[in-house]
Amino acid sequence: MQKLTLSFERTTATKCPLTFKVYGTFEGLPPGLQLIQYRIVGTEQWKSLKSPIEHNGSFTALLATLDWEWDPETPTPGQTSVQIELRQPDGLKSNTLYYFECGMADADDTFGETSEPIVRTPSGGPLAELVADANLDAVQARSGAEAALVSRYGFHLDLDAGPVTYEEVFATLPAGFAVDVWAITGAALKSVLAHPNAQGWVLTPSSSLRYTLEGGAVTEMTLNGVPVTDDQVIRIAANYILVGGYEGFPRWPGVTNVYRGGPDDRGALATYLVKNSPVSAPAGDRVTVR
């Protein structure tokens, strides 16, 4: 085994108590049927599963269903992360998934590091692009999301260069919204993106989506480098506040919710930072305004 990547799927509507499923994608397996032993880091019990006979070196399986709860009135810290280790000579461990609605990390706990400052701009900029990338990464494997959109409205702090503390993660995204996925046509999405709010902010996309605003209209839009057609249906990761039109942008017309299994956005950001550390600032060029 060469790599194990975890993904998160929430099965409760409440933020906490929380029930969620942990899926693992195994890569680099030898040919044929394999017996795999694994356990959650910090526990003693090893579990076993068998790979499919035909797997081409990779397959995905449900590894655990976890129930978390937290009473903020008690001194216990609650639960914030899950990681899987494999029973093999090199002691391979997966990435770590973070969720901060059933427990609070210490303010000075760190979650990866940035190689340079990642800042906001009046329209969104590198910080908004980073959060959009993190949101998409958090839900893509389970939902088939193709892009993510965020608003600068919810960001209260830039990220400095160096280790990223929980205090910074919390200050950057204090609301802790869940990342959901919505289906919307290309035409409807263009109509939403054509309306920057009163402060001049625009909706910032993940790296898979780019668009140009000109004369109050979206004149160009690409998804993974391919022009988006008006009747094309796209799966977009976004929180319900943004979709509902509560952050100074219009309500999304004709939208359908297709996935409500994502983590909170703070957990998505922490997971992404640790997984990709050290993280550089995105270019801040995904939206062109003429």
Side-chain angles (χ1 to χ4, degrees):
M1 186 80 60
Q2 296 174 354
K3 185 176 181 181
L4 171 59
T5 304
L6 301 187
S7 55
F8 179 109
E9 185 169 15
R10 177 170 43 89
T11 60
T12 49
T14 59
K15 290 184 176 182
C16 189
L18 167 79
T19 299
F20 66 100
K21 297 179 179 180
V22 178
Y23 290 86
T25 298
F26 299 86
E27 299 177 52
L29 283 79
L33 183 68
Q34 303 295 322
L35 177 65
I36 299 169
Q37 291 186 301
Y38 68 93
R39 68 181 176 186
I40 297 173
V41 171
T43 66
E44 296 183 358
Q45 181 184 5
W46 291 97
K47 299 181 179 181
S48 298
L49 64 85
K50 293 181 179 179
S51 69
I53 296 176
E54 299 292 336
H55 52 63
N56 294 320
S58 176
F59 81 102
T60 299
L62 174 63
L63 302 184
T65 299
L66 301 178
D67 297 299
W68 284 1
E69 58 183 320
W70 177 46
D71 182 356
E73 302 299 322
T74 67
T76 56
Q79 294 165 294
T80 59
S81 67
V82 59
Q83 186 182 31
I84 299 291
E85 61 180 320
L86 297 180
R87 197 170 197 174
Q88 60 182 44
D90 62 359
L92 179 68
K93 292 182 180 179
S94 72
N95 61 310
T96 302
L97 298 179
Y98 293 96
Y99 182 86
F100 295 121
E101 301 304 309
C102 272
M104 298 285 285
D106 291 335
D108 57 355
D109 283 353
T110 59
F111 300 89
E113 64 180 282
T114 57
S115 59
E116 58 187 315
I118 303 179
V119 301
R120 299 159 294 170
T121 66
S123 63
L127 181 61
E129 292 186 352
L130 171 66
V131 173
D133 288 343
N135 286 356
L136 178 60
D137 190 66
V139 298
Q140 190 169 34
R142 303 308 312 160
S143 70
E146 299 164 277
L149 284 167
V150 299
S151 162
R152 184 196 184 283
Y153 180 88
F155 303 153
H156 294 195
L157 186 75
D158 297 334
L159 293 178
D160 294 330
V164 180
T165 65
Y166 180 69
E167 183 177 26
E168 291 177 284
V169 171
F170 187 89
T172 298
L173 294 168
F177 290 126
V179 182
D180 299 324
V181 179
W182 314 79
I184 186 170
T185 65
L189 182 58
K190 290 173 186 176
S191 74
V192 171
L193 297 177
H195 292 85
N197 69 12
Q199 287 77 25
W201 302 344
V202 297
L203 292 183
T204 302
S206 58
S207 62
S208 53
L209 186 70
R210 290 177 174 267
Y211 67 95
T212 298
L213 275 173
E214 187 173 5
V218 173
T219 57
E220 297 178 37
M221 181 188 295
T222 60
L223 180 65
N224 297 315
V226 179
V228 173
T229 63
D230 285 349
D231 59 354
Q232 180 178 349
V233 177
I234 307 171
R235 291 192 169 205
I236 303 287
N239 68 57
Y240 75 96
I241 293 291
L242 184 60
V243 173
Y246 294 105
E247 293 191 350
F249 295 95
R251 185 181 182 91
W252 294 19
V255 70
T256 303
N257 180 249
V258 294
Y259 183 76
R260 288 188 179 274
D264 66 308
D265 52 12
R266 286 196 300 267
L269 177 58
T271 298
Y272 187 85
L273 289 169
V274 172
K275 181 179 175 182
N276 297 285
S277 184
V279 176
S280 300
D285 62 353
R286 298 171 191 173
V287 180
T288 300
V289 180
R290 293 176 178 160

